[in-house]
Amino acid sequence: MTLPEPLEAKFDTLLRRYPVKRSALVPMLLYAQDQFGQINDAMIEEIAQRLDLNVLQVTETLAYYSMLRRKPAGKYHVQVCTNVSCMLRGGNRIYEHVQRNRRCRSTTTSTKTLPRKRWTRSWTISTPATNPSRWRAPRARCTSAIRPRCR
Amino acid sequence: MISRRFGIGNSHTLEAYRNNDGYRALEKALKQMTPEQIIEEVKKSNLRGRGGAGFPAGVKWSFVPKDSAKPKYVLCNADESEPGTCKDRPLMELDPHQLIEGMLITSRAVGAHQGYIYIRGEYRYVMEILDAAIAEAYANGYLGRNILGSGFDFDLCTHTGAGAYECGEESALMESLEGKRGYPRIRPPFPAVVGLYGCPTVINNVETLSSVPAVILNGGEWYANLGSPKNGGTRLFCVSGHVNRPGIYELPLGFNLRRMIEDVAGGIANGKKLKAVIPGGSSCPLLGAEETDLPMDFDSLAKAGSMLGSGGLVVIDEDTCMVDLARRIMHFYAHESCGWCIPCREGTAWLRQILDRFHQGGGRPEDIPLLGELAKNMLGRTFCPLGDAAALPTMSIVKKWRHEFEEHLTGRCPYKPAEVLAGAF
């Protein structure tokens, strides 16, 4: 399988980095996913061959990590944090609003076309409650409906 | 101290780092000190692990066998995933060379020649900053062969995870670095003897390693005097939740918790009263408002029945439903449990189920003691501390806010009085 030049270069660096070849597995899968949007069977076979592993060893590792996916994701990947800190400051309200507005649920892909300019950027919110600079980003772009009302 | 370069423009570059005492500690460690002296200095500094457990760093380094025929490794745990914690990100983003210098000194102390920085997959952009800093260090002779003419060799590279909380645990991190599923290993043997690829390994948190240059440059005693007895130095506290000024603050260990909330973080938002505090990331038992008048160091919090953990302070105001909070915490642990040990895999799922039932108004009176009992049976029965991390906050919430669970039995949440909960029908 011939790979695009930048990916091939990354794979080469990774293979030289570790005393045991298998160590390069997770980063290789992640870079392949960056390139193709998903990890398909052909890719798994290719990586297994390069690392002297069998296909099962690659798939069992792949299945463990939540950032690696076998199916393509949507064009824009929106993640909303609702863990403890964010829950206290209205993370769930943002999440519900995004769901309503995008007509898609968690871990699903919406087919709705992008109606307004403000959704043409993907954004990720990570621990906004502790990082004021990131916290402002969704506020500025969205209407008051999702503005978390901090009690 | 460790955050002193944060405000400087281009603080991530080698030039800015060198203009601000950068790599002076490394020169001192390589040219004026023996490895034994470095370890002794770090022991004297009372620098304790900043990742959560608070194990003295110098003692950990001294466990590495000196005459091992196998190669030794130094690992940096940058898989920061504890809910409420966000201190490692600015340390790597704004001062990556400090971490590189800390790793160099550590590897000199234990005689390692290869290091890896394991970064969580979500911090990919931070990895690019670190990679650029490492390339700069290689180009200027701070990494590679014969560093600063001392004859010492050290290679360093980054490694990315892919979204598993469990890989922040040291042995699971090593499994993950070896390209396997991130399952924890049984201890003993400890990583200092049998770690990465079966070789002696030192593994420390980003903040611990970033503190090492200051210890070497200014002396262990000076560093120890910054904190409280047996808890040397300063640390980054990440304050979040219902406070007026959430953020990351560097404060000496032993700083009063109430003052931290009132003065440093600007008090509770919207004039509300304090209800509870998670003192060190969501795996720590919660403290009630009346327990907050205590110094924030490892020993004082252990005495108060909690942990300092990773320094992620979550402040909770009087209008928060504790059942909902316990439920959210348990959802996280049930999702992140790797499934290796049965008490954790089953326990977290059962606890989640019971707490969900309570939250929806379908709780039964016998569920309250059952929650405590289940959590107690998870404690200490798993390979890694994830089981404990799920059990401890639950036990503390059930013990301290039992009345809230009892109120939910009526089918109404005391914080949503108008609403009859769906599960009560």
Side-chain angles (χ1 to χ4, degrees):
Chain A
M1 189 177 176
T2 45
L3 299 172
E5 199 55 47
L7 189 63
E8 194 70 60
K10 274 182 184 166
F11 278 13
D12 276 349
T13 334
L14 282 171
L15 281 173
R16 273 184 273 118
R17 211 176 248 189
Y18 306 97
V20 176
K21 268 189 182 175
R22 185 171 176 163
S23 280
L25 178 57
V26 177
M28 272 170 104
L29 289 168
L30 210 54
Y31 289 136
Q33 180 176 284
D34 284 350
Q35 186 77 42
F36 301 110
Q38 79 196 84
I39 302 157
N40 57 23
D41 292 346
M43 199 52 181
I44 291 176
E45 261 173 58
E46 176 66 23
I47 289 176
Q49 204 187 348
R50 286 179 188 227
L51 297 178
D52 300 332
L53 299 172
N54 54 45
V55 171
L56 194 65
Q57 285 170 310
V58 178
T59 32
E60 67 147 13
T61 308
L62 192 158
Y64 179 84
Y65 295 95
S66 57
M67 281 176 76
L68 301 174
R69 47 178 188 264
R70 301 286 306 270
K71 287 180 191 154
K75 189 172 179 187
Y76 301 103
H77 188 191
V78 180
Q79 289 177 291
V80 181
C81 177
T82 58
N83 212 330
V84 191
S85 299
C86 301
M87 176 194 102
L88 295 173
R89 302 305 295 249
N92 283 320
R93 294 169 59 87
I94 295 185
Y95 179 62
E96 278 160 25
H97 179 81
V98 173
Q99 273 194 335
R100 228 183 2 252
N101 225 32
R102 301 297 319 132
R103 288 191 199 145
C104 82
R105 287 273 179 82
S106 171
T107 67
T108 64
T109 305
S110 156
T111 50
K112 192 178 167 188
T113 51
L114 300 165
R116 273 158 294 182
K117 213 175 178 181
R118 67 167 195 258
W119 290 111
T120 53
R121 264 190 71 184
S122 77
W123 45 270
T124 307
I125 306 168
S126 52
T127 55
T130 52
N131 191 338
S133 63
R134 273 167 183 258
W135 189 222
R136 272 182 229 113
R139 276 191 189 187
R141 238 173 278 132
C142 303
T143 55
S144 60
I146 74 154
R147 194 169 295 160
R149 263 165 241 148
C150 306
R151 281 175 291 129
Chain B
M1 281 278 308
I2 48 173
S3 62
R4 71 195 186 99
R5 292 183 201 88
F6 281 13
I8 300 169
N10 287 329
S11 59
H12 62 281
T13 58
L14 181 62
E15 197 194 343
Y17 187 65
R18 261 199 305 221
N19 290 341
N20 292 282
D21 291 341
Y23 289 112
R24 273 182 51 209
L26 176 68
E27 270 195 71
K28 188 178 170 189
L30 287 180
K31 293 178 178 165
Q32 297 166 23
M33 296 169 88
T34 62
E36 290 76 28
Q37 279 171 326
I38 299 175
I39 294 181
E40 209 43 53
E41 207 61 42
V42 175
K43 271 188 190 166
K44 240 191 273 172
S45 73
N46 287 335
L47 171 64
R48 294 174 69 163
R50 303 293 196 236
F55 195 78
V59 179
K60 196 187 233 181
W61 298 357
S62 64
F63 290 154
V64 176
K66 286 187 185 60
D67 43 2
S68 167
K70 292 178 183 169
K72 295 169 198 166
Y73 294 100
V74 170
L75 297 185
C76 169
N77 185 346
D79 192 79
E80 173 184 59
S81 336
E82 184 73 14
T85 311
C86 52
K87 63 190 171 57
D88 296 346
R89 186 175 64 189
L91 279 173
M92 293 185 285
E93 222 178 299
L94 301 170
D95 209 349
H97 283 284
Q98 185 174 238
L99 173 63
I100 296 172
E101 189 178 4
M103 287 195 76
L104 275 159
I105 298 170
T106 310
S107 53
R108 169 71 171 173
V110 299
H113 299 291
Q114 175 71 55
Y116 294 103
I117 304 176
Y118 186 102
I119 306 181
R120 65 184 298 200
E122 289 86 344
Y123 284 179
R124 291 284 289 284
Y125 70 101
V126 179
M127 200 168 107
E128 281 160 24
I129 297 171
L130 263 172
D131 279 337
I134 290 173
E136 245 184 329
Y138 265 111
N140 287 276
Y142 292 112
L143 284 171
R145 305 273 152 267
N146 193 15
I147 295 163
L148 300 175
S150 63
F152 176 66
D153 305 334
F154 187 64
D155 287 306
L156 181 64
C157 56
T158 54
H159 180 97
T160 168
Y165 171 74
E166 177 57 21
C167 293
E169 197 275 335
E170 54 181 20
S171 62
L173 186 149
M174 288 170 200
E175 285 283 308
S176 174
L177 190 52
E178 290 177 13
K180 301 172 194 158
R181 294 170 80 100
Y183 286 148
R185 298 173 181 167
I186 192 99
R187 273 149 295 180
F190 287 94
V193 187
V194 182
L196 185 65
Y197 309 123
C199 303
T201 305
V202 165
I203 176 161
N204 279 119
N205 179 259
V206 174
E207 199 188 345
T208 320
L209 291 166
S210 294
S211 305
V212 172
V215 172
I216 297 300
L217 200 58
N218 301 302
E221 222 158 282
W222 172 85
Y223 189 84
N225 287 336
L226 290 174
S228 57
K230 289 192 182 167
N231 292 269
T234 58
R235 80 171 297 176
L236 297 180
F237 289 97
C238 322
V239 188
S240 65
H242 296 130
V243 283
N244 282 320
R245 284 197 301 271
I248 303 165
Y249 300 98
E250 182 172 6
L251 295 165
L253 279 165
F255 197 87
N256 187 285
L257 174 57
R258 188 164 288 169
R259 266 187 67 204
M260 202 183 289
I261 299 168
E262 295 298 331
D263 303 343
V264 179
I268 311 295
N270 301 328
K272 295 274 165 63
K273 274 198 220 126
L274 177 67
K275 180 177 194 172
V277 179
I278 303 177
S282 70
S283 44
C284 304
L286 280 78
L287 295 172
E290 64 292 343
E291 295 171 283
T292 53
D293 195 12
L294 86 177
M296 285 291 271
D297 61 44
F298 291 101
D299 302 323
S300 308
L301 274 166
K303 217 187 279 171
S306 188
M307 303 188 298
L308 187 54
S310 54
L313 202 77
V314 183
V315 180
I316 298 153
D317 78 5
E318 55 182 340
D319 283 352
T320 311
C321 171
M322 296 308 270
V323 175
D324 193 16
L325 188 88
R327 176 185 147 267
R328 184 61 189 90
I329 294 176
M330 198 47 65
H331 267 259
F332 173 75
Y333 286 112
H335 179 256
E336 293 297 347
S337 174
C338 72
W340 188 238
C341 319
I342 296 158
C344 171
R345 184 187 70 202
E346 299 300 319
T348 49
W350 290 347
L351 286 172
R352 179 182 60 184
Q353 222 174 343
I354 298 172
L355 288 165
D356 270 346
R357 198 157 66 212
F358 259 104
H359 181 68
Q360 288 157 3
R364 302 169 307 194
E366 62 268 30
D367 282 344
I368 303 174
L370 182 64
L371 278 170
E373 192 64 22
L374 252 174
K376 208 173 90 190
N377 277 309
M378 283 160 69
L379 273 187
R381 289 186 168 82
T382 49
F383 274 38
C384 85
L386 198 145
D388 299 356
L392 287 168
T394 313
M395 282 165 75
S396 73
I397 294 174
V398 174
K399 196 172 142 208
K400 289 175 188 169
W401 289 276
R402 195 186 173 100
H403 59 277
E404 290 199 11
F405 286 88
E406 282 161 0
E407 282 170 60
H408 273 78
L409 293 177
T410 60
R412 280 174 195 273
C413 172
Y415 299 94
K416 287 183 245 159
E419 208 177 302
V420 180
L421 300 169
F425 293 111

